[in-house]
Amino acid sequence: MSENTDVVVIGGGYAGVMAANRLTQRDDVTVTLINPRPAFVERIRLHQLVGGSHDAVVDYADVLGKGIRLVVDTVTRIDAAGRSVTLATGGTVGYDYLVYAVGSGGADPGVPGAAEFAYPIAGLEEAERLRPVVDAAPATAAVTVVGAGPTGIETAAELAEGGRTVTLVCGEVLGPDLHPRSRRSVARRLAGLGVTVLEGPGARATAVTRDAVRLGDGRELPSRVTIWTAGFGVPDLAARSGLSTDALGRLLTDETLTSVDDARIVAAGDSAAPSDLPFRMSCQAAVQLGPQAAETVLSRLAGERPAPVDVGFVAQCISLGRRAGVFQLTGRDDTAKRYYLGGRPGAKIKELICKGIPWQLSYEARKPGARTWWAKDDKRRQLLRAKGGTAPVAAERAA
């Protein structure tokens, strides 16, 4: 190995930036961040971009540590044996260690017509494409949002608060991960904004056309603009590169976030599947997984055994337009509790958290390694024991 260690981070989202910043603790580590965009995307604000209240981007100079090399490009293949990555624009970048943090995006809808006629909102370019479509539609035009998770709820509320006529197609239930008490608060706010909420077994989108959404019970909803927020998927880079993945395509790792195929590759964020027991795809998990992936690399460089991953959840935050929100307390295992804050206090907390995340990234850039805020989830240990010791173990090919 050369005197200086080259670490490449693929993906400049929440997990990737946190990992890159944490890696700068050592002066003998050179960090290269490869990302397809020249600016950091605040994915938790993409619904605001569509609604016109935020641009959802931050300059990398504000969140990325000094000395980190930013390469604006897309990785098309990982050569684990050759320790290099191939770029879409040509050429390769070599590495001693690789952090796989490619994030997530919209999943294949699997519904006839959805790919052709519905607008996804999981990525910056998708939200930017949707914004002028919404702006061009008359205020009275029917807008249908498919998906009743946080993204669907936030998008429906944001557009309705702006005067749009919105129907939210939930499938089975509104906010399935919420406690019934906070779910009722969300429902009241949506009703107050004029959102038509469709729930129940028949309220599942089965087909999308240019101007309508068909439901499982045979109803057909007129829809000038259809927005698809149901489900997330991950890029297939790991699978295309011959690395082991879970059924969804997340990189399969051990509990130290190390690839089961190669100890030189670690994963973080939505694209990681530690022990085939992945965490919920979320910013909340990503900002914890990123620094822990970096610590795995730093431990190996120091000749120490990497620590197992620890991620603990605190709450779910859902904005309901600019003047209301829900702050849903959860257990560390992400199970919703009965306690929540709604209305304007909920909105203020959500906005405080949204503003606080770029601050966390910049703090890590200024003082890498100074903070450890993740909390242990004891139930994860129980899940691992229940697997009967079958959790995958990383291949020790690091020497």
Side-chain angles (χ1 to χ4, degrees), residues 21 67 101 159 194-195 229 239 241 263 265 275 281 321 326 347-348 364 383 389:
N21 286 340
L159 295 178
V195 177
T229 71
S241 301
I265 301 175
S275 302
M281 293 184 181
V326 164
K348 288 183 177 180
E364 188 70 30
L383 289 172

Side-chain angles (χ1 to χ4, degrees), residues 50 119-121 126-135 225 227:
V50 174
Y119 292 87
I121 193 178
E126 294 166 338
E128 289 177 333
R129 191 180 310 123
L130 174 58
R131 170 75 183 277
V133 174
V134 171
D135 288 346
V225 181
I227 304 171

